[in-house]
Amino acid sequence: MYTPRAFAIDDLAALDRLIDADPFVTLVTTADGVPGVSHLPVLYRRAGDRIRLSGHWARPNPQARHGGRALAIVHGPHAYVSPGVYPDKESAARVPTWNYAVAHLGGTLRTFDDEAALGALVAALSHAHEARIGRDWTFEPERDDHRRQLRGIIGFHLEVDRAEIKFKLGQNHPVANIAAVAADLDARPEPRERAVAALMREHALPAATDPTQGD
């Protein structure tokens, strides 16, 4: 991922918050030179610098037969930025852009299909996501019909050894521009746009400017 220095984040706590807000990732693999892509909810675990993502595919998914290197893309909030809100829009001939937060997690895939491990994974995933919406469905391993459903999936762990975090939030602009964009995004109706404004105040306002760095 092209990441100018001004946009690079090396604090894994920022990754924690990013994936906690949206644990639905894009998983990319290759087989015989052809990319395979799946969009999946995952469990995220981090202990220091050690990161693991866990999830599952439908058994017929061709990606479930891929092994080796893989890339998980974590999608953060994003927003269109109009040059009309910059105080220096005329003098600096500003143009439109897009502010966003994203992370690329590279690592090695390990697949599994034993019933106990799959049951534990489904139970953990459902517990995490049911809690988000105030529901209480749970996997019940003592039920034959629940266990039979496990035959239709393949589980995976992605052991991450490379984490690239990019927060493109206007760090290459003067402070006045960053503040103006954050205020504009705060006034918009979409929660993701207000989330970008919050990230800008946290990460971009303290940053020095470097007008040579772009998208």
Side-chain angles (χ1 to χ4, degrees):
M1 176 168 57
Y2 171 59
T3 307
R5 290 188 308 275
F7 304 150
I9 301 293
D10 58 9
D11 180 8
L12 290 178
L15 174 63
D16 298 343
R17 295 191 294 271
L18 200 66
I19 199 165
D20 181 66
D22 188 356
F24 192 74
V25 308
T26 300
L27 184 66
V28 183
T29 59
T30 58
D32 299 323
V34 178
V37 181
S38 295
H39 306 280
L40 304 158
V42 293
L43 292 174
Y44 170 77
R45 297 285 185 269
R46 181 170 73 85
D49 293 337
R50 298 186 63 181
I51 298 169
R52 170 187 277 186
L53 301 183
S54 303
H56 64 79
W57 303 277
R59 187 173 286 270
N61 187 332
Q63 196 176 56
R65 297 186 292 278
H66 293 189
R69 300 297 297 175
L71 172 70
I73 303 173
V74 181
H75 304 277
H78 58 91
Y80 171 75
V81 176
S82 169
V85 303
Y86 295 133
D88 66 352
K89 59 183 177 294
E90 295 298 335
S91 61
R94 297 297 184 184
V95 295
T97 191
W98 210 279
N99 282 5
Y100 59 90
V102 69
H104 286 190
L105 305 179
T108 303
L109 274 177
R110 178 169 62 84
T111 62
F112 58 92
D113 63 359
D114 58 288
E115 183 179 286
L118 287 173
L121 172 64
V122 171
L125 278 167
S126 61
H127 176 77
H129 296 295
E130 289 282 314
R132 286 175 178 266
I133 62 169
R135 301 293 183 180
D136 60 359
W137 185 90
T138 186
F139 176 77
E140 300 176 47
E142 68 278 6
R143 289 180 51 168
D144 289 341
D145 56 344
H146 279 199
R147 292 198 309 276
R148 283 197 299 272
Q149 296 292 332
L150 299 175
R151 300 172 189 166
I153 62 175
I154 299 289
F156 68 84
H157 298 305
L158 178 65
E159 306 294 347
V160 175
D161 54 37
R162 181 178 177 86
E164 297 179 281
I165 309 168
K166 180 178 181 179
F167 283 12
K168 181 187 172 293
L169 302 170
Q171 297 97 318
N172 55 332
H173 278 261
V175 168
N177 284 5
I178 299 171
V181 171
D184 180 66
L185 295 178
D186 262 337
R188 297 188 195 175
E190 291 292 331
R192 65 174 172 82
E193 294 174 315
R194 296 195 297 274
V196 173
L199 287 176
M200 290 178 68
R201 292 192 174 95
E202 180 182 357
H203 295 279
L205 280 175
T209 65
D210 181 350
T212 68
Q213 300 196 58
D215 294 354

